[in-house]
Amino acid sequence: MKRVIAVGSAVVVAAAASWVIWHFVLASDDPPMIEAANGHAYQFVPAPHIRWDQARAAAAKLSWHGRPGYLATIDNAAEYQLVLDRVFSHDYPDVIYLGGRQTGPGEWRWVTGPDGQAEGGKGRLFWRGDETGAVQGGLYANWMPTAFQHGGKWDTAKVCCVSLFSYGIPQFSTSLGTGDADEHVAGYLVEFGG
């Protein structure tokens, strides 16, 4: 699995089983489109072991009712809950790419869709720091406790991308963005709107 954490082996086994179930049973060839009240829509695209840059390019090629697709950005708690309740209502797969990146040491920005146009195209800053950091600009973040590691394969200096889920836990995490087999990348979340 992606990270070694101090939990019982049953949790890790359950998370691995969850990923297998999602990967082989729940991920269909035609994933559903989930419409939101704000005119946006969301779609999970299964794409095991895809790189973040490939996911970003693939999302940008999609459209829905004339609205462009982009890797999803989650700006508030209501949007986060909608994604959990309606897009992933059956199970939480493992690593799902979102449209966020570390653009400088400890500088986490949404870099896709309308948020990506903020600050002259640099992206909307939503988190500054690591596990002791803080939400910026009244935006939203829900990081898992092990998202920021110091040392090892997933050191904060080596990770680039924001993901949803790790070990099937419904929180933000970080990713190498390379599609590394140890991360169990399941795909990416596309948002349509703008």
Side-chain angles (χ1 to χ4, degrees):
M1 296 297 306
K2 179 178 171 185
R3 296 182 167 96
V4 177
I5 57 176
V7 297
S9 61
V11 173
V12 174
V13 169
S18 174
W19 180 83
V20 169
I21 289 168
W22 179 268
H23 182 70
F24 292 107
V25 177
L26 298 176
S28 69
D29 290 338
D30 189 22
M33 185 71 64
I34 305 300
E35 295 184 51
N38 63 0
H40 287 228
Y42 301 85
Q43 184 177 43
F44 167 66
V45 178
H49 309 297
I50 192 170
R51 293 187 331 254
W52 187 89
D53 60 338
Q54 292 172 321
R56 180 181 188 172
K61 292 179 183 175
L62 300 175
S63 66
W64 174 76
H65 295 300
R67 294 183 178 108
Y70 52 91
L71 288 180
T73 60
I74 299 179
D75 292 329
N76 56 59
E79 184 177 19
Y80 176 75
Q81 199 61 53
L82 177 127
V83 167
L84 292 184
D85 293 346
R86 300 213 31 229
V87 179
F88 298 103
S89 61
H90 299 292
D91 201 356
Y92 303 130
D94 224 347
V95 177
I96 305 297
Y97 291 134
L98 297 175
R101 288 189 63 91
Q102 182 173 211
T103 57
E107 184 178 275
W108 295 89
R109 294 177 180 271
W110 295 120
V111 297
T112 60
D115 285 342
Q117 301 309 309
E119 294 189 42
K122 192 173 181 181
R124 186 173 313 278
L125 180 66
F126 73 94
W127 184 266
R128 187 175 301 278
D130 53 18
E131 68 274 7
T132 62
V135 171
Q136 302 293 300
L139 293 175
Y140 178 80
N142 183 11
W143 295 103
M144 63 186 310
T146 59
F148 301 102
Q149 296 188 17
H150 304 282
K153 187 172 186 176
W154 287 276
D155 184 86
T156 56
K158 297 177 184 176
V159 294
C160 69
C161 310
V162 178
S163 63
L164 186 57
F165 313 126
S166 182
Y167 294 113
I169 298 170
Q171 291 181 304
F172 290 2
S173 192
T174 57
S175 171
L176 297 170
T178 62
D180 185 297
D182 288 341
E183 287 192 313
H184 297 278
V185 173
Y188 53 97
L189 182 62
V190 182
E191 183 174 356
F192 301 88

